[in-house]
Amino acid sequence: PLRTKPKPKLEKPKLYKVLLLNDDFTPREVVVQILKAEFRLTEDEAYHVMITAHQKGLCVVAVYTKDVAETKATRATDMAKDFGFPLMFEVEPEE
Ligand code: TYC
């Protein structure tokens, strides 16, 4: 037969979490500024994400498609490096 089962054509894009990692050197205010600049968080959202990472070791910043997550994580990490701090962002797939 030419047509058997219709195959679902459009798959949901897989989503990726951007994680903020704690470190002992980056000032809290620098973390907040970078979160606001790269991820468009408000001051309150950025403070909450920063303090969660500070206390727990890491915090999910936001969820995006793969290319957007990787671009934003790289840009944010590079921004910190330009300021002279070792702040790290990582990307991991959602469950
Ligand atoms: N732990 C840092 C300090 O005490 C602040 C900080 C918070 C750094 C969150 C990174 O993801 C981070 N200055």
Side-chain angles (χ1 to χ4, degrees):
L2 284 174
R3 286 162 194 271
T4 52
K5 257 200 201 143
K7 191 171 154 193
K9 205 27 200 159
L10 299 173
E11 308 218 340
K12 290 187 261 179
K14 291 186 180 67
L15 295 178
Y16 290 74
K17 297 182 280 195
V18 175
L19 304 176
L20 169 67
L21 306 190
N22 188 35
D23 69 69
D24 291 338
F25 305 103
T26 310
R28 293 176 179 206
E29 190 53 30
V30 169
V31 180
V32 169
Q33 290 308 319
I34 291 172
L35 289 171
K36 288 165 68 180
E38 186 57 43
F39 300 95
R40 308 295 206 89
L41 302 190
T42 65
E43 179 78 26
D44 286 359
E45 290 166 343
Y47 185 84
H48 184 252
V49 168
M50 178 282 294
I51 209 70
T52 302
H54 178 73
Q55 290 169 350
K56 302 195 173 199
L58 57 78
C59 184
V60 177
V61 180
V63 170
Y64 303 101
T65 53
K66 190 168 200 275
D67 61 332
V68 174
E70 284 172 351
T71 300
K72 286 184 174 289
T74 300
R75 285 169 50 112
T77 299
D78 287 351
M79 202 183 301
K81 196 174 179 187
D82 287 346
F83 294 150
F85 297 113
L87 186 66
M88 290 282 298
F89 292 82
E90 289 185 350
V91 172
E92 80 170 27
E94 258 201 339
E95 322 305 305

